[in-house]
Amino acid sequence: MPIVNDVTQVNAIEVFSIATPHSTEEVQAAVRSTTLPLSIGGGHFSIGGHTASPGTLHLDLRRMNRVLRFDPVAHVIRVEAGIRWCDIQAFIDPHGLAVKIMQTYANFTVGGALSVNAHGRYMGLGPVVLSVRSIRFVLADGTPVDASPTENAAWFAAAIGGYGAIGIITEAELELAVNVRVEQRNAKMPTAAYPGWFDANVRGNAKAVFHDSDLYPPHYTSARAVT
């Protein structure tokens, strides 16, 4: 039986077979062709055995990486779920546009980020889902569902962060932002001083585009704030 592993290469999982669909229609066909339980993989960055389940038909969505529609005037792009955020950025950069909200790493797939309800780094913009206009996902019987915050809203809320439990996200329509050059600033400080520093320098500061703070082991008493 084939082996599926995550990015760490220390969580090998034996699955029954692997399918590599190229479209929503091929995902539908794969789902309808089996009675096996399913597992879903994108970039395989969900570590610790979350990428696959033993004995499943594993759907590797990384070949579903096309841009389906792009409107540079409306700042909207529709993509397949297996595309990476860095690939979207490379596609839209010549048009002066940028991904509006994204998690820290750009090599995750869009479907994976939405399935785990990834956080964002952008101050005041919230998690990645707040830039999602709509999604398409495939139910266990192969039926496709289109959902958004206003259409099939309950389905939308269940699919985002649902880890594929109610369906396989295959497409997403995303809002984009105007691309701007940013400057990175770093500040190292005692961990206890960080909340006050954040309130004084980041919270409510229109110049702070995105921010995080790294804690230093082994005692975690010092922090490096990156803005």
Side-chain angles (χ1 to χ4, degrees), residues 19-20 75 80 109 117 122 125 135 149 190:
T20 55
H75 298 176
E80 291 181 318
T109 62
N117 194 20
Y122 300 81
L125 294 183
I135 58 173

Side-chain angles (χ1 to χ4, degrees), residues 5 18 27 38-39 47 80 99 123 128 131 137 141 150 153 163 191 215 223:
N5 213 324
I18 300 174
V27 170
L38 303 173
S39 60
I47 61 177
E80 291 181 318
V99 172
M123 298 305 301
V128 174
S131 67
F137 59 93
D141 64 357
T150 56
Y163 285 82
T191 304
L215 304 181

Side-chain angles (χ1 to χ4, degrees), residues 52-100:
S53 296
T56 59
L57 169 60
H58 183 73
L59 301 180
D60 185 336
L61 303 188
R62 285 176 289 186
R63 296 186 183 180
M64 292 181 60
N65 57 5
R66 294 178 297 167
V67 173
L68 301 175
R69 185 173 72 87
F70 175 52
D71 187 336
V73 176
H75 298 176
V76 173
I77 192 168
R78 187 174 184 89
V79 297
E80 291 181 318
I83 197 169
R84 299 179 302 166
W85 294 95
C86 56
D87 296 326
I88 295 177
Q89 188 59 56
F91 181 88
I92 64 179
D93 188 68
H95 301 273
L97 297 172
V99 172
K100 184 176 182 179

